Amino acid sequence: MIRQYELVERVRAYDPSADEDLLNRAYVFSMKAHGSQTRASGDPYFSHPLEVAGILTNLKLDAATIVTALLHDTVEDTVATQEDIERLFGREIGRLVDGVTKLSRLEMQSEQAKQAENFRKLVLAMSEDIRVLLVKLADRLHNMRTLHHIKNPDKRKRIARETLEIYAPLAERIGMHQVKDELEDLAFAQLNAEARDSILAQLSRLRSEGEDRVQRIIDELGKVLRDDGVEGAQISGREKTPYSIWRKLQQKNVSFEQLSDIMAFRIIVGNVGECYQALGIIHSRYPVVPGRFKDYISTPKPNGYKSLHTGVIGPQRNRIEVQIRTKDMHEVCELGVAAHWAYKQGQPRAGAREYRWLRELLDILEHATKPEEFLEHTKLELFQDQVFCFTPKGDLIALPRGATPVDFAYAVHSEVGDHCVGAKINGRMLPLRTQLQNGDQVDIITSKAQTPVPGWERFVVTGKARARIRKFLRTQQRSQYIELGRAILQRQFRQEGYDYGEKALEGVLKIFQQPGVDDLLAAVGSGLHSGREVFHAVFPGHKPHALAQQTVQLKDGDDKAAALIAKPKPKPKGREAPLPIRGLIPGMAVHYARCCHPLPGDRIVGIVTTGKGVTIHTIDCETLESFNDSPERWIDVAWDVGPDNPEEHVGRIHLVVANEPGSLGSLSTVIGKNGGNITNLKITNRNTDFFELIIDIDVKDAKHLTNIMAALRATPVINAVDRARGR
């Protein structure tokens, strides 16, 4: 355990002006506050905040951060209060301790809600001061180092999984690669010990076989650089971590022996000019591996990382990865944002607001309704490889791999995303679901009349885009549910002989546990409560009206599909195939809407049309909006189709297909192989690059059509596939 004077000496070694009295008081206060508390390992609890402080001194962080580390568990785990911390140590440290304390307190809640809310609080706290995150990462690092002392294996795996999904990506995003690597390796040891042990054994074998080889490569690279005028370059070989090797094995689907970049050689030179000079020397001396060169100096990563990366067939015909950077770049690479907060006399310090990704997390936080949803979107934002694209003005936008022009539009600005109607990629108009590649220039075309489309959610990959689209759709859906709920209740009141008034609904809000009248109307419109339930809550002593006795409730719990019907007609003679829909009167004329082409498996509703019988629509069909004012025409229906049902239904899809020979042949082959039969095909738009089609396919149900669409999406010539609505 670090002694008091040792901790002070560590800090004063890199910051001679550090407040020694403040550090001493924090050390004593924390030790007394934790008293006789112990950890799962049996060690005194005070050893934990002390080790966290020690980790941060290795990063040369300022005294306020070190003091925060010493005190970070006192408010949560001892009798000390937040007021005590502020009174004894000042407002700045009080605010930092409060930021970390709010996170720790939530770790006592249920697992999923705790993790989500915990992370939401972390984002809010670190947006005010990034040092909160630095303390939290050091706290998590020491907890992971001692995780093996926890006896419950499920708890160990839960903590390790959370570390791998949240804290390691966060460390990477702020450039703390050493911390990220250790967190990943410690979590990997808990989650897949066998795989890690196997990789370590392979690495040990390689080390024993090639120890001299690594030194020979370093010596030869040094000689090559000196011969061409680059003096004083520092060269070292770095072994990839077991977890990063494991990820590459999974991504590339190759064996351990086939990996070429298990060892990376790092060259540190004096200035940026020498970086490019060294790169030219190596490229002129050794064959370059195609596709492996990356210039992160002219185009830095969002976390500030700068370096030149290249792959060559190097000394002794070894395929190696080479990283070239200056000493300052190396410091930022190893310490990330901590390098900015490290004690440096007279230099300004960086704050959280400089990080675009953090601003985007705050934007997601604003649009997500539940902590769990925020966590889902944030994992999308954090845990992906990146592509770098440019606006027409040359501004760099970093996106996850697989991102589309819609993701790009939302990254530029939320309003640009909301009103996006098209995109030019490198000067060519391409579909919005096109995946962007490194170096693409993207020009977003907008229209004030455009709003987010439900289909976008199926192909966007950034958390910001998905959160914004979901919020818009949720708001739009809520307004529709409110109008539908109002129509249902108006009809119910009218049938029972009463005038509808929303004032009466205020008295029953507590019964249905709704905060307001609009919330109750939305609950009725969404089917959570029926109009009959609400009516009887308003008039508990009411006896059914004579007219209402003729009302048939066709399906429990969904009043929007109750309809006034006449006495049933006698069952027709003869042997007819039973209708595949429940809730209809025998003999009633039925046909399927051509605007939405409902299939078994879709949620459906019936609309009564005079002289035509009942038209079956999907519940999300846009045509239904025109019937909002006629709720008496709605009938609650459901599919009555078993797994062996022989009847086929028409599913309509919309495709964007590459305009090249064989495209239509590939398309029809895929549909046929998956059990579909094309009954109609129409080309709706064509240009030099792609054309759009509407195709009708005989399928068994919605799942069958979904399988066909999935197979089509996997076909290279097909750019986009969607269910056709309103076509």
Side-chain angles (χ1 to χ4, degrees), residues 344-567:
K344 292 181 181 178
Q345 187 68 42
Q347 291 192 17
R349 289 164 170 168
R353 299 293 180 183
E354 293 186 7
Y355 288 86
R356 182 190 184 103
W357 63 271
L358 183 51
R359 295 197 301 273
E360 290 179 352
L361 289 192
L362 292 171
D363 194 64
I364 293 172
L365 180 58
E366 180 185 342
H367 295 106
T369 55
K370 296 185 293 187
E372 292 89 343
E373 187 177 307
F374 171 62
L375 184 64
E376 173 199 341
H377 298 329
T378 308
K379 285 179 181 177
L380 287 175
E381 203 73 27
L382 287 176
F383 204 63
Q384 295 192 38
D385 293 329
Q386 293 183 309
V387 294
F388 299 93
C389 302
F390 296 90
T391 67
K393 292 182 179 179
D395 295 331
L396 176 69
I397 303 290
L399 295 163
R401 192 164 300 281
T404 65
V406 176
D407 295 295
F408 183 94
Y410 276 107
V412 172
H413 195 280
S414 297
E415 291 296 321
V416 176
D418 286 346
H419 301 302
C420 169
V421 292
K424 284 184 179 179
I425 303 175
N426 302 322
R428 291 174 57 202
M429 283 295 297
L430 288 172
L432 288 176
R433 63 165 58 246
T434 303
Q435 292 192 3
L436 300 175
Q437 305 298 320
N438 265 323
D440 280 348
Q441 185 185 75
V442 185
D443 185 6
I444 300 297
I445 300 166
T446 60
S447 167
K448 290 184 179 179
Q450 176 71 357
T451 57
V453 177
W456 289 358
E457 195 182 343
R458 292 196 289 272
F459 60 75
V460 296
V461 299
T462 58
K464 179 179 179 181
R466 187 161 296 178
R468 183 83 181 193
I469 293 165
R470 282 187 179 177
K471 182 182 180 183
F472 175 84
L473 297 177
R474 209 166 27 239
T475 303
Q476 186 182 53
Q477 185 184 56
R478 176 178 165 80
S479 63
Q480 292 173 350
Y481 280 151
I482 289 172
E483 290 303 312
L484 183 55
R486 183 175 288 114
I488 289 170
L489 289 176
Q490 286 173 344
R491 182 195 61 205
Q492 186 70 45
F493 275 59
R494 187 169 60 248
Q495 288 175 354
E496 301 293 351
Y498 287 82
D499 291 331
Y500 171 77
E502 294 186 0
K503 190 74 175 175
L505 301 181
E506 294 177 2
V508 298
L509 292 177
K510 288 186 178 179
I511 297 175
F512 296 99
Q513 298 181 337
Q514 298 294 339
V517 171
D518 280 353
D519 299 286
L520 179 57
L521 293 174
V524 173
S526 64
L528 187 61
H529 301 294
S530 70
R532 187 178 298 277
E533 286 180 90
V534 176
F535 176 81
H536 284 297
V538 175
F539 302 104
H542 173 74
K543 293 182 179 179
H545 189 277
L547 182 62
Q549 291 177 349
Q550 298 177 34
T551 302
V552 178
Q553 186 70 27
L554 296 165
K555 185 179 178 184
D556 292 337
D558 194 354
D559 205 74
K560 66 186 176 187
L564 257 106
I565 58 173
K567 290 182 179 180

Side-chain angles (χ1 to χ4, degrees), residues 593-613:
R594 296 183 63 80
C595 51
C596 55
H597 291 272
L599 296 171
D602 293 329
R603 288 181 60 206
I604 55 175
V605 67
I607 299 294
V608 178
T609 305
T610 305
K612 292 185 179 180

